Amino acid sequence: MVLPVAYHLARRGVRATVLEKGDMASGSSGACDGLVLLQSKRPGIHLRLAMESRKLFNRLSEELPVSIEYRCSGGMVVIETAEEFRAMERYAEEQKETGLEVALLDIAGARRMEPELSESLAGAAYSPPGRAGESHCPDPWFGSGRQGPGGRAYGPTPK
Ligand SMILES: Cc1cc2nc3c(=O)[nH]c(=O)nc-3n(C[C@H](O)[C@H](O)[C@H](O)COP(=O)(O)OP(=O)(O)OC[C@H]3O[C@@H](n4cnc5c(N)ncnc54)[C@H](O)[C@@H]3O)c2cc1C
């Protein structure tokens, strides 16, 4: 998280210094699934922050000198039981109030989109492409030059 913060500070002309004990993005940021998933976010500020973050990824794809392999693929959250489906109905309504485009599908509808889904599931919550995305290697470039625009990054001294 620190490298993107330093990057955006540097873009605003603020000199930032990142001290990293390991290699850049050697923590969970470099190992995570790289999903920019909106549906898993609680309605309200949590989801609004994620929606703003997703907009940044669009811009980053144009700004950075390297590809972050960002693609908008949409997202589907499967629902196992009828009880969960009722809970997800309320949750999805609140997410819509926050601005997320999301639809609840019964299992027939979900399997039309994802035929490999088990018939034993109750259904799925689906958010179309452009509303959820996925990207890989978001962090490495921020520190690769050890001297980004207006910022410095210090890791362990190479042996
Ligand atoms: C398996 C997995 C999958 C995930 N999938 C996703 C996903 O798809 N989408 C998503 O949004 N989030 C995902 N997450 C969560 C996400 O990875 C983390 O929330 C995020 O990366 C945390 O960033 P961070 O900068 O706080 O921690 P980290 O990325 O772990 O960075 C901490 C850094 O601090 C350094 N450090 C530690 N101690 C010191 C010290 N004393 N001095 C200097 N440096 C130090 C470490 O070396 C490390 O590089 C996933 C997490 C995991 C574990």
Side-chain angles (χ1 to χ4, degrees):
M1 300 244 203
V2 168
L3 292 172
V5 173
Y7 172 75
H8 290 289
L9 283 173
R11 280 187 62 82
R12 287 165 176 76
V14 179
R15 282 181 72 81
T17 301
V18 174
L19 300 178
E20 165 56 62
K21 76 171 180 168
D23 207 348
M24 294 302 154
S26 57
S28 55
S29 297
C32 75
D33 301 328
L35 292 175
V36 185
L37 191 62
L38 303 182
Q39 287 162 266
S40 60
K41 307 301 183 282
R42 276 194 310 281
I45 185 67
H46 198 198
L47 177 54
R48 276 208 299 278
L49 278 174
M51 291 165 80
E52 289 307 314
S53 155
R54 195 197 68 73
K55 287 182 200 158
L56 282 179
F57 273 91
N58 279 350
R59 222 181 65 210
L60 276 176
S61 302
E62 285 129 33
E63 259 166 38
L64 295 178
V66 293
S67 164
I68 57 171
E69 301 172 22
Y70 182 66
R71 59 189 171 92
C72 273
S73 53
M76 184 180 271
V77 174
V78 297
I79 306 168
E80 294 184 79
T81 67
E83 189 191 350
E84 287 172 4
F85 198 95
R86 285 189 295 279
M88 189 59 100
E89 277 174 328
R90 289 191 300 279
Y91 194 73
E93 275 316 305
E94 291 168 18
Q95 287 186 317
K96 283 183 201 166
E97 283 159 22
T98 304
L100 181 66
E101 189 178 341
V102 59
L104 283 214
L105 308 170
D106 61 17
I107 190 55
R111 279 172 53 82
R112 271 194 293 280
M113 301 187 78
E114 209 42 76
E116 299 306 317
L117 288 177
S118 162
E119 288 173 330
S120 68
L121 293 167
Y126 175 67
S127 194
R131 295 288 181 271
E134 184 175 325
S135 100
H136 297 280
C137 66
D139 264 349
W141 184 84
F142 287 112
S144 61
R146 302 233 179 267
Q147 182 82 31
R152 293 162 296 180
Y154 295 102
T157 315
K159 299 207 171 41

